[in-house]
């Protein structure tokens, strides 16, 4: 047996990847789960989860740990590598290149690599990242005890994390570029009811201002009147969406305008043998429930690909 060959390779150990690895290994396929960091993905950036069936309330860290244990329970191997490229080999197999070490090969590949937080792209943002600019409330919120904070964005993440940050901050201003939130009403109501939160609609951040060491405030602009203003804050949390990690495959893969992979109803991308699930996939919503559901389909379909397409090809070959 070629030790570096797997029947199913899963790339990224968030909820989708951990689910796909569990299903593929339980179907008795030799399965690798590639993850360059700690298994958990976006769960590790989420405080409380209240919308995963069976758990009325569970911390992201605990659900991540439970899923990670379960993902390896049926024999999937966790390979601690950051994948740098997935190269279709033309014979239905794929080469998986990693940051350090020799490449691996796999019959089917399931890409569950998630994404990176979108940046505002304004002066001061990157220079002050880690010095008051953050993209993760759970990771960094506790550093801002008693401070005034800003949250930028209008989706579920911005509104939910603004509420989370009030456990540390004295006050949180949510700054959104439009006059209504995209976030679910239940999250908006909770934030609206919180006396520590106020909302600044129709404003954009033009600059993150610092004193050379740390964030001291934001320069803002009203999108209608163009009036400039300043907001004094000790930190700013930016939740303006996610950029999917969909640059790994070295040939063209069909994608939507934001770069998410388009798949068929088997979760197969436009490249045979390459499947996708979770935040890399084009879909209506990006929930844990949809990630694990789509990963289930991807793993079952990848198993069929190995058994019905690759095994006969290899036998004939
Ligand atoms: P999102 O839903 O894409 O929302 C991004 C927000 O950022 C939007 O309000 C958008 O404004 C704003 N935005 C985008 N680019 C901007 C820019 N350059 N400057 C200023 N504002 C900008 O992203 P998300 O909140 O990270 O959520 C991602 C996915 O995870 C969603 O599917 C969400 O449902 C899911 N999620 C779910 C939960 C939960 O269910 N508890 C929690 C977190 C995330 P516009 O509205 O004007 O476009």
């Amino acid at each position: 047996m070629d030790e570096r060959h797997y029947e199913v390779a899963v790339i990224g150990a968030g909820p989708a990847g951990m689910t796909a690895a569990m299903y593929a290994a339980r179907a008795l396929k030799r399965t690798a789960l590639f993850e360059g960091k700690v298994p958990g993905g976006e769960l590790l950036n989420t405080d409380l989860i209240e919308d995963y069936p069976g758990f009325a309330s569970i911390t992201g860290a605990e659900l991540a740990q439970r899923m990670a244990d379960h993902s390896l329970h049926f024999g999937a191997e966790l390979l601690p590598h950051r994948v740098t490229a997935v190269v279709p080999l033309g014979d239905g197999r794929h080469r998986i290149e990693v940051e350090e070490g020799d490449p691996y090969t796999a019959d089917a590949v399931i890409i569950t690599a998630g994404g990176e937080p979108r940046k505002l792209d304004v002066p001061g943002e990157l220079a002050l990242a880690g010095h008051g600019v953050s993209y993760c409330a759970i990771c960094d919120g506790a550093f801002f005890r008693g401070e005034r904070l800003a949250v930028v964005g209008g989706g579920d993440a911005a509104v939910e994390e603004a509420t989370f940050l009030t456990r540390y901050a004295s006050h949180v201003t949510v700054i959104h570029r439009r006059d209504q939130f995209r976030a679910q009403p239940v999250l908006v109501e909770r934030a609206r009811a919180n006396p520590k939160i106020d909302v600044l609609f129709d404003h954009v951040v033009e600059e993150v201002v610092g004193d050379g060491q740390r964030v001291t405030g934001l320069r803002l602009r009203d999108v209608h009147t163009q009036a400039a203003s300043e907001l004094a804050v000790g930190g700013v949390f930016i939740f303006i969406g996610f950029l999917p990690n969909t640059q790994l495959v070295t040939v063209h893969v069909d994608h939507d305008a934001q770069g998410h992979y388009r798949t068929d109803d088997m979760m197969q991308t436009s490249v045979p043998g390459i499947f996708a699930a979770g935040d890399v996939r084009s879909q209506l919503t990006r929930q844990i429930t949809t990630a694990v559901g789509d990963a289930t389909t991807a793993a079952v379909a990848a198993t069929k690909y190995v058994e019905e397409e690759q095994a006969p090809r290899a036998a004939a070959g």
Side-chain angles (χ1 to χ4, degrees), residues 62-78:
E62 187 181 352
L63 189 57
Q65 187 59 55
R66 285 177 182 240
M67 283 194 183
D69 293 345
H70 200 170
S71 71
L72 305 181
H73 182 73
F74 298 108
E77 293 171 47
L78 181 64

Side-chain angles (χ1 to χ4, degrees), residues 51 118 120 153-158 160 176-178 182 184 187 239-241 285-287:
D51 52 7
R118 179 179 285 134
L120 274 174
D156 286 343
E160 189 167 56
H176 184 32
R177 64 185 178 182
R178 289 190 298 133
R182 177 186 295 275
Q184 303 167 52
L187 301 178
F239 300 109
I240 59 168
T285 181
R286 295 195 297 276
Q287 299 292 301

